[in-house]
Amino acid sequence: MTPNDRKYTKEHEWLLIEGNTVKIGITDHAQDALGDIVFVELPAVDDTFAEGESFAVVESVKAVSQIYTSIGGTVIEINEELDATPELLNSDPYEAFIAVFRADEIDESELLTAEEYDAFVASEA
């Protein structure tokens, strides 16, 4: 079940927006497509990214995937648990965030609701 409390991208990332603080992770669909995740290359705290830039890399037994930010901002927290247990992205993708940003800009016009995201995933199948 896709949580209704966040927004989604067509690149299969989720954003939990709370004011100008945004948690970003990958969706259940993304982790399922990737397979067993074995490594996550995290950004550093205080790194700054523009909208559309890759800020992390997720490696699985099948593929290496860039993770993109759909907001501009500065990393204020990373999920350090992923260093030791990257498989958290498989077991609980909606709790295991990758990074938290302080957003400089948020353009929600390109972001999808849970219903829109589910319809998008179904249309790709």
Side-chain angles (χ1 to χ4, degrees), residues 79-90:
N79 187 348
E80 294 178 4
E81 287 184 300
L82 296 177
D83 281 336
T85 49
E87 63 273 10
L88 287 172
L89 291 177
N90 290 121

Side-chain angles (χ1 to χ4, degrees), residues 14 24 40 42-43 45 75-86 88-89 92-93 95-100:
W14 58 259
I24 301 178
V40 180
L42 296 164
V45 171
V75 176
I76 58 173
E77 181 184 348
I78 57 172
N79 187 348
E80 294 178 4
E81 287 184 300
L82 296 177
D83 281 336
T85 49
L88 287 172
L89 291 177
D92 201 356
E95 283 301 312
F97 68 95
I98 294 172
V100 180

Side-chain angles (χ1 to χ4, degrees), residues 42-49 55 74-76 78:
L42 296 164
V45 171
D46 293 329
D47 279 357
T48 302
F49 295 92
F55 73 93
T74 303
V75 176
I76 58 173
I78 57 172

Side-chain angles (χ1 to χ4, degrees), residues 7-64:
K7 298 288 188 172
Y8 299 87
T9 70
K10 290 183 177 179
E11 289 75 38
H12 307 289
E13 289 114 17
W14 58 259
L15 294 85
L16 185 58
I17 301 168
E18 297 170 331
N20 73 337
T21 302
V22 183
K23 268 187 190 174
I24 301 178
I26 63 171
T27 65
D28 185 54
H29 177 79
Q31 71 78 25
D32 188 55
L34 283 166
D36 293 336
I37 294 170
V38 295
F39 178 74
V40 180
E41 182 181 317
L42 296 164
V45 171
D46 293 329
D47 279 357
T48 302
F49 295 92
E51 181 180 335
E53 280 191 303
S54 169
F55 73 93
V57 178
V58 174
E59 289 184 32
S60 72
V61 293
K62 291 188 203 174
V64 175

